[in-house]
Amino acid sequence: MSKKTEPRYAMVVDTKLCVACKACVLACKSENDVPDGFCRDWLVEETRGVFPDLRAENRSERCNHCAHPPCVHACPTGASHVNEGGTVLVTHHKCTGCKACIGACPYDSRFVHPDGYVDKCTFCLHRVQRGKEPACVEVCPTFCLHFGDLNDPDSEVSKLLRTRKHKVLHPETGCEPNVYFLEGGPR
Ligand code: SF4
Ligand code: SF4
Ligand code: SF4
């Protein structure tokens, strides 16, 4: 019997389908009790070019659960760590709120929770472990958010990345993000 491969979780965002409704942001806040004034995911509405040759891109962004996470390396207490499926998490009771991880993250994905620990997107691992999708993925009305296992060649995320042009944010950081953004057209 072949040994089961560890999952490598990723999110794939189809920017062409996003209508900027921000339901993903609201669902995340509700699911994860994110306090007022903070967010674990957010929407970037970017416009490039000059009228009439304009290009718009809506991106639902969050922690990239990087394969090489500088936030984890910067954390002096081990609170920031790599967990199941490559998710990057924070153990709240080990976090002293020193902000070293916030300074190390090139994506501005973290914030200090009013209760004193650093917080951020968890890929909703608590839901995934119960066989559900992350809250943002479940709520998106245009189905532009996809979550799954990149180590499974038959997963939707693997198929999308095999067949569609895509990018990650700031690849030059060397962090190897696991949130991908689909661009128009096939590969
Ligand atoms: Fe875009 Fe979906 Fe988020 Fe709405 S819920 S802003 S369509 S990613
Ligand atoms: Fe860490 Fe930032 Fe990468 Fe998330 S996006 S894993 S917080 S470096
Ligand atoms: Fe928020 Fe969960 Fe989506 Fe992360 S995966 S942005 S914690 S709803």
Side-chain angles (χ1 to χ4, degrees):
M1 203 168 72
S2 64
K3 201 169 156 226
K4 197 172 181 300
T5 320
E6 278 291 305
R8 180 159 70 94
Y9 293 135
M11 200 170 280
V12 175
V13 183
D14 192 340
T15 60
K16 294 292 173 199
L17 294 180
C18 179
V19 293
C21 68
K22 298 187 183 165
C24 50
V25 179
L26 289 177
C28 179
K29 279 181 93 71
S30 170
E31 172 70 21
N32 297 299
D33 286 328
V34 181
D36 286 347
F38 300 93
C39 55
R40 287 183 176 195
D41 64 345
W42 58 93
L43 195 80
V44 174
E45 297 174 71
E46 200 173 87
T47 310
R48 293 190 293 266
V50 181
F51 181 82
D53 192 17
L54 285 174
R55 293 189 62 165
E57 183 174 276
N58 297 330
R59 287 193 308 271
S60 176
E61 296 187 7
R62 59 195 48 61
C63 166
N64 289 281
H65 296 272
C66 304
H68 300 295
C71 53
V72 171
H73 302 307
C75 177
T77 69
S80 286
H81 64 283
V82 178
N83 205 292
E84 182 184 327
T87 53
V88 175
L89 303 184
V90 182
T91 307
H92 296 167
H93 72 270
K94 284 189 180 176
C95 176
T96 60
C98 74
K99 302 184 191 170
C101 59
I102 292 181
C105 171
Y107 298 98
D108 206 11
S109 298
R110 294 171 168 248
F111 59 91
V112 180
H113 190 282
D115 288 344
Y117 56 84
V118 167
D119 204 11
K120 66 167 200 66
C121 167
T122 58
F123 266 173
C124 281
L125 193 60
H126 63 291
R127 290 174 58 91
V128 172
Q129 286 169 335
R130 299 199 309 261
K132 294 178 158 188
E133 297 197 296
C136 54
V137 175
E138 185 172 302
V139 81
C140 176
T142 64
F143 306 104
C144 59
L145 299 176
H146 305 268
F147 178 83
D149 176 10
L150 283 184
N151 282 342
D152 174 2
D154 295 325
S155 70
E156 196 181 15
V157 288
S158 293
K159 287 178 188 165
L160 284 167
L161 296 187
R162 264 203 310 278
T163 55
R164 297 275 304 274
K165 278 188 195 150
H166 58 268
K167 66 180 178 186
V168 294
L169 298 178
H170 300 296
E172 71 280 1
T173 61
C175 298
E176 294 192 20
N178 278 305
V179 177
Y180 297 82
F181 297 89
L182 298 179
E183 302 177 291
R187 287 190 80 173

